[in-house]
Amino acid sequence: MRSLQELEESQWWPCERIQQLQSERLQRLIHHAYERVRYYRALMDARGVSPSDIRTAADLSLLPVLTKTDVRQHVSELLADGFPRRELLVGRTGGSTGEPLSFYSSRESRLSRGIARALRAYEWAGTYPGDPIVSVSRRRPSDSAKDPQFQRVVRFFSRNVVEDSASLSDSSLPFVVQRIASRRPRTLTGFPSTLCIIGEFIRDSGIPAPEVNAVVVGGEQLLDEQRSLLRDVFGTEPFSKYSSFESFDIAMECNAHEGFHIAAEDIVVEIVDDAGKPVEPGRQGRIVVTNLHEYGMPLIRYDTDDESSLLEGACACGRSLPRLSTIIGKTGDTFYTPSGKRVSARSFRTAILVELGIRRFQFVQDRLDHVTVKVVPNDSLSPGKAQKLVAAVKAHYSSTLGGDVEIRVDIVDRIEPTPAGKHLFYISKVTRPPGKDALVSQK
Ligand SMILES: [Zn+2]
């Protein structure tokens, strides 16, 4: 609560004061990393960088970007010497697309600061601690479940009810909607893909939508068509928030809904090119983050695999926290082709699938030259219609991806969610081929 109170105040500070606080915290973290973290000491010594060379976020480019592969290979050297083990919590990334990654975070960073940033994001959506929330997510035992401090936080949110996202089906959806309505939540929250399954059901069945004050989505990029579906169904503009498994809440929408305010008091966000150099505002690049409260396993300039650009100018809400524009997917949303094209899944123009009578879909790039499109049609199809559908989908996406990618279309009854309960539309199992960086943007 103390952390939340601080964040409630600092969000209204002028830009310079926020930057000053950020720089002080950054200097402290860098000194700590040099003195206590073997990985960073070796890195800085090798580059001739002294801790006092890094005074502000702009100086961070003296250090390289830290990738998931770096973390996987150097877990023990990234842990701070002498940091009390009992203060460390283990975390694992979902691993829904790539390889899972284990990492450590401190209690302070995850439970105190991380949760405070999430609470502030809810406050921006008009929901305060103790207000009823329905969260549609996967019920699963988590590593934090046994933690007493975590339990206290959960009790604090005792009105936060979880609806299991793994059990969403045509037969269960009427009851899910009924239960949400009966709890009269102030906020409905979940992955965009999950809430859209509920939203589509409400829209198509014509049953009244549960009354909610706000819809808060996170964990995945919110696509434009999802945003308008949620807005139409729930009658309120959804709030999207950007977080990661490793750094927790990073940036979130305010009620102006013009980009994501970075929680700059706690997190340094840089937008960089492929060489790790910061790009100017307005230009798209990779999001790298430094969590200023992570002293157990500091991750400095950590590559999130997501992309965005910095917005210029003041926000209508009056907060001077810097803003990111749209957040563009995980690497799993980017498809690569043998000829070196890089195609964002956002350019897939999925409206055509709706026109073809497809209710749900998933694109899986299983090899550099092969993409499987799984589709669930609205109605059962005659063999003739099925053949036409397959041909239409193939033709459309061959033109998007190029002739060197073979497309296979599978008509299925159901698309399984990931172990974390995410309903992914795009999965790429192919990583970026080295040296092939031609970005294809097809809007
Ligand atoms: Zn704002």
Side-chain angles (χ1 to χ4, degrees), residues 249-394:
D249 280 48
I250 296 168
M252 46 292 291
E253 267 182 57
C254 66
N255 54 359
H257 299 284
E258 283 172 9
F260 296 68
H261 282 289
I262 298 165
E265 305 97 326
D266 287 8
I267 309 266
V268 176
V269 172
E270 297 169 87
I271 304 297
V272 304
D273 60 19
D274 283 334
K277 266 186 38 210
V279 299
E280 70 254 38
R283 272 209 44 203
Q284 192 178 318
R286 297 168 83 81
I287 305 174
V288 303
V289 299
T290 304
N291 179 347
L292 299 173
H293 294 283
E294 184 50 66
Y295 278 65
M297 184 167 161
L299 302 179
I300 296 168
R301 305 197 85 211
Y302 183 63
D303 190 345
T304 60
D305 288 338
D306 300 317
E307 299 198 348
S308 186
S309 57
L310 285 165
L311 285 176
E312 277 184 302
C315 181
C317 74
R319 295 179 185 89
S320 55
L321 293 166
R323 281 176 303 156
L324 293 173
S325 67
T326 320
I327 313 280
I328 308 214
K330 302 281 168 192
T331 313
D333 299 5
T334 304
F335 286 58
Y336 302 95
T337 75
S339 62
K341 274 209 295 188
R342 196 172 138 192
V343 185
S344 159
R346 282 173 77 75
S347 65
F348 276 12
R349 279 182 244 163
T350 51
I352 187 158
L353 297 176
V354 180
E355 285 162 24
L356 289 168
I358 288 166
R359 189 155 55 101
R360 209 152 289 157
F361 61 84
Q362 187 178 59
F363 290 80
V364 183
Q365 179 165 32
D366 8 49
R367 292 196 314 269
L368 190 59
D369 61 351
H370 194 271
V371 169
T372 302
V373 189
K374 293 183 192 170
V375 296
V376 182
N378 282 325
D379 311 297
S380 56
L381 300 170
S382 66
K385 276 194 171 170
Q387 218 170 16
K388 274 192 192 150
L389 176 86
V390 167
V393 174
K394 268 192 181 178

Side-chain angles (χ1 to χ4, degrees), residues 43-337:
L43 185 83
M44 289 164 78
D45 283 347
R47 296 186 161 236
V49 176
S50 116
S52 52
D53 292 337
I54 298 171
R55 308 194 56 81
T56 71
D59 303 323
L60 271 174
S61 44
L62 290 170
L63 299 178
V65 164
L66 181 74
T67 65
K68 287 192 168 61
T69 310
D70 294 330
V71 175
R72 203 171 281 127
Q73 287 170 352
H74 301 281
V75 172
S76 60
E77 296 126 275
L78 278 162
L79 281 170
D81 289 336
F83 196 87
R85 275 288 168 146
R86 63 177 183 283
E87 291 297 313
L88 283 176
L89 301 166
V90 68
R92 275 174 204 97
T93 62
S96 52
T97 52
E99 273 179 82
L101 170 69
S102 293
F103 62 94
Y104 293 87
S105 54
S106 71
R107 253 166 219 287
E108 162 78 6
S109 163
R110 179 156 161 190
L111 298 178
S112 169
R113 303 302 304 196
I115 289 177
R117 288 196 297 281
L119 292 179
R120 183 171 71 173
Y122 278 111
E123 291 187 353
W124 292 358
T127 301
Y128 291 82
D131 282 343
I133 294 176
V134 170
S135 159
V136 186
S137 58
R138 189 70 202 269
R139 274 195 211 124
R140 54 176 179 156
S142 80
D143 299 317
S144 334
K146 289 178 228 107
D147 188 88
Q149 196 179 348
F150 186 79
Q151 287 301 328
R152 270 204 300 280
V153 176
V154 170
R155 272 202 297 280
F156 186 69
F157 279 108
S158 52
R159 303 189 70 193
N160 183 355
V161 178
V162 175
E163 194 60 64
D164 193 350
S165 66
S167 66
L168 298 180
S169 66
D170 287 350
S171 54
S172 74
L173 275 163
F175 302 104
V176 170
V177 174
Q178 221 171 51
R179 280 198 298 272
I180 294 172
S182 70
R183 285 162 189 156
R184 300 177 176 280
R186 184 109 183 124
T187 281
L188 177 65
T189 183
F191 296 132
S193 57
T194 310
L195 295 191
C196 282
I197 289 174
I198 297 172
E200 274 168 8
F201 173 76
I202 293 170
R203 185 194 60 196
D204 298 343
S205 63
I207 60 167
E211 268 182 54
V212 297
N213 188 63
V215 174
V216 177
V217 296
E220 296 165 355
Q221 177 187 350
L222 176 62
L223 305 170
D224 290 345
E225 59 264 30
Q226 296 176 322
R227 183 183 281 277
S228 49
L229 171 74
L230 295 174
R231 185 200 302 128
D232 291 349
V233 168
F234 295 103
T236 169
E237 186 70 33
F239 289 79
S240 179
K241 104 194 153 74
Y242 175 54
S243 56
S244 74
F245 280 104
E246 303 86 347
S247 311
F248 320 109
D249 280 48
I250 296 168
M252 46 292 291
E253 267 182 57
C254 66
N255 54 359
H257 299 284
E258 283 172 9
F260 296 68
H261 282 289
I262 298 165
E265 305 97 326
D266 287 8
I267 309 266
V268 176
V269 172
E270 297 169 87
I271 304 297
V272 304
D273 60 19
D274 283 334
K277 266 186 38 210
V279 299
E280 70 254 38
R283 272 209 44 203
Q284 192 178 318
R286 297 168 83 81
I287 305 174
V288 303
V289 299
T290 304
N291 179 347
L292 299 173
H293 294 283
E294 184 50 66
Y295 278 65
M297 184 167 161
L299 302 179
I300 296 168
R301 305 197 85 211
Y302 183 63
D303 190 345
T304 60
D305 288 338
D306 300 317
E307 299 198 348
S308 186
S309 57
L310 285 165
L311 285 176
E312 277 184 302
C315 181
C317 74
R319 295 179 185 89
S320 55
L321 293 166
R323 281 176 303 156
L324 293 173
S325 67
T326 320
I327 313 280
I328 308 214
K330 302 281 168 192
T331 313
D333 299 5
T334 304
F335 286 58
Y336 302 95
T337 75

